[in-house]
Amino acid sequence: MSEKIQSKISHFSAIRFVADRKQALDYYAKLGFWCDYEMGFVEREGLHMIVHESDAEHVNAISPNNEIHGPHAVDLFAMVEGIEELYEEFQAKGAVLHYPLRTNDYQMKEFAIKDPEGYTIGFGESLI
């Protein structure tokens, strides 16, 4: 009798529509992400995104969360190990900060970056 194989989701990819895909991919590549310019894939460790270029009819519909929900809203949040090292690496590579490294009330050290389209990625490390 054969055993039933258990399904497993290995990762997910956030999909982002942008006005200029090459510009977005160049930004992430500069920060050390692997980018597939043909398919629009952006990856670094467990963070995966797919970048699609919006058609001219819908380019005004691009709306990062912080534009709607305020300056502390992010579009994607990733848990990391070595938050201070990642922060220093991104700063050295020219990342645009959405907010700087800080410790919040719920015992998380975090920061966020912003890409050329205004999308934000928060990075955090638990202090407990």
Side-chain angles (χ1 to χ4, degrees), residues 69-82:
H69 300 287
H72 299 292
V74 295
D75 297 292
L76 189 65
F77 194 86
M79 295 299 293
V80 303
E81 296 176 13

Side-chain angles (χ1 to χ4, degrees), residues 31-100:
L31 297 182
F33 288 78
W34 172 83
C35 296
D36 178 327
Y37 281 76
E38 183 178 339
M39 299 298 293
F41 297 155
V42 176
E43 298 178 10
R44 180 159 173 172
E45 291 94 33
L47 194 152
H48 300 254
M49 295 182 286
I50 301 171
V51 177
H52 291 296
E53 193 157 310
S54 183
D55 59 29
E57 180 183 344
H58 297 101
V59 75
N60 292 330
I62 296 170
S63 57
N65 286 337
N66 63 82
E67 293 177 5
I68 298 168
H69 300 287
H72 299 292
V74 295
D75 297 292
L76 189 65
F77 194 86
M79 295 299 293
V80 303
E81 296 176 13
I83 189 82
E84 292 177 12
E85 293 80 6
L86 184 63
Y87 182 72
E88 290 172 11
E89 175 190 343
F90 281 174
Q91 278 195 303
K93 291 179 175 178
V96 175
L97 292 178
H98 180 55
Y99 56 81

